[in-house]
Amino acid sequence: MTITEDVQTTAAVTDWSALRAAYRADGLVKLEQLLDAEMLAKCRANYDWSVANPGPFAFNIFDGTEHKTINDNSNPAAQPRYQALANSRVFADALAQVWGSQHVWFFAEEIFGKEGGKAGRSPWHQDTSYLPWTGEHWANLWISFEPLPRANAIEVVRGSHHGITYDGTTFTDPDDPTKPLHGGDHWPRLPDIEAERKADPMSWEIVSYGVQPGDVIMLHPHCLHGGAPVDAKTPNRHTLVLRFFGDDATFRSLPEQSRSGYPRQGILFSEELAHLKDGDPFRSPAFLQIR
């Protein structure tokens, strides 16, 4: 289907029941002007620090090509900075309301940067192919610092957080955006969503939002999602992602024999999660409880 923009935004952030229903059904909502100028400036300062101080998981997606995207994820040196940023009622209250969760924990940050008007799209994927997560109470809060039309923002397959888990992409081959991360027959290979959309624009129901600075996209990480490209009209997109979980968050192992060498608990907070078994509540002292 064609790209649509959902009407469920917060405006004055009063109709929490409608947002809760939309998130459960679709896997994402736009929290309109959730962040004031002061909080947005704090987010940008942390983003800039991360760019200047890359961590052990930093890499450039499609490095050496015009599709290059800056990426860093869960930098241990940045943890105190991001825990201080995330420990705010603006995040805790919004997440608790949309989820219907009593408690909220902060997982970690991720950053993305597309610059120069030529960077192509980031491949479609589910974060749950890389991280041992399941349950309803997960969220990535996407905070972009430039005004973005829908054509240059994150895109999501509506309702796909209720669907199956696909193998992840390696993010290394722009000519094969579905190149399997784990391999084997544990999970099916990603569909080539862009190829299918080109052949039939109605083949996937894609949701996207235009955003202004201060808006936040709340996305369930099990959704199939991907970042649209930048272009001459919107040459840059700098995005900070803050990841959170709530009461209904449980551990689910990754494939045991991943050809990429991923352990069952993933490569992020691997030691802290090593004791968890499938179905256990996703809990560790490593993660700051903010509510």
Side-chain angles (χ1 to χ4, degrees):
M1 295 184 181
T2 56
I3 295 176
T4 61
E5 181 165 10
D6 200 294
V7 298
Q8 295 290 351
T9 62
T10 57
V13 194
T14 55
D15 194 353
W16 290 110
S17 61
L19 285 164
R20 191 175 305 125
Y23 191 74
R24 288 175 178 172
D26 299 338
L28 78 161
V29 290
K30 180 167 77 169
L31 305 176
E32 190 172 284
Q33 292 302 291
L34 182 71
L35 305 182
D36 62 20
E38 180 181 2
M39 179 56 77
L40 191 63
K42 290 179 180 178
C43 291
R44 184 61 199 242
N46 276 29
Y47 176 95
D48 291 339
W49 187 94
S50 290
V51 172
N53 299 274
F57 304 110
F59 81 111
N60 292 325
I61 301 170
F62 302 149
D63 200 16
T65 77
E66 66 178 9
H67 302 293
K68 171 183 169 182
T69 297
I70 298 167
N71 179 254
D72 199 359
N73 200 327
S74 306
N75 181 353
Q79 189 174 26
R81 299 180 61 95
Y82 281 102
Q83 286 188 343
L85 177 70
N87 192 18
S88 167
R89 283 195 61 181
V90 70
F91 297 125
D93 290 352
L95 290 159
Q97 288 280 5
V98 176
W99 284 331
S101 178
Q102 182 178 357
H103 304 103
V104 178
W105 290 266
F106 174 61
F107 180 80
E109 87 291 347
E110 186 169 17
I111 66 165
F112 295 96
K114 293 180 182 288
E115 300 175 338
K118 294 184 178 181
R121 68 171 303 114
S122 302
W124 290 90
H125 65 284
Q126 297 160 298
D127 291 355
T128 47
S129 303
Y130 307 83
L131 295 159
W133 296 350
T134 190
E136 294 294 324
H137 294 166
W138 290 96
N140 295 349
L141 298 188
W142 283 68
I143 303 163
S144 295
F145 301 107
E146 294 86 11
L148 299 176
R150 284 182 292 160
N152 303 109
I154 186 171
E155 296 182 326
V156 175
V157 175
R158 188 193 296 273
S160 53
H161 62 308
H162 296 307
I164 64 173
T165 303
Y166 293 98
D167 200 341
T169 173
T170 62
F171 288 101
T172 60
D173 188 349
D175 296 320
D176 184 2
T178 71
K179 186 176 181 179
L181 176 76
H182 300 296
D185 57 4
H186 189 85
W187 290 329
R189 185 169 180 152
L190 276 165
D192 192 340
I193 293 176
E194 285 309 291
E196 293 180 22
R197 289 173 75 186
K198 288 178 182 178
D200 177 8
M202 305 294 286
S203 58
W204 292 89
E205 186 173 7
I206 308 299
V207 183
S208 184
Y209 299 96
V211 297
Q212 294 295 319
D215 293 345
V216 175
I217 301 299
M218 180 175 171
L219 161 72
H220 193 292
H222 190 59
C223 283
L224 283 162
H225 61 280
V230 292
D231 54 30
K233 292 183 179 180
T234 306
N236 300 312
R237 184 172 81 231
H238 302 99
T239 301
L240 170 64
V241 182
L242 301 177
R243 290 167 157 166
F244 297 86
F245 59 96
D247 294 333
D248 184 12
T250 53
F251 180 89
R252 184 231 45 199
S253 298
L254 300 182
E256 290 282 1
Q257 296 181 332
S258 170
R259 73 177 190 181
S260 297
Y262 272 53
R264 58 180 287 278
Q265 69 272 27
I267 61 173
L268 304 181
F269 300 99
S270 186
E271 292 183 6
E272 293 86 347
L273 300 175
H275 67 287
L276 294 179
K277 305 182 296 296
D278 285 357
D280 284 349
F282 193 91
R283 305 287 187 270
S284 168
F287 305 121
L288 177 70
Q289 183 175 345
I290 66 171
R291 182 185 173 99

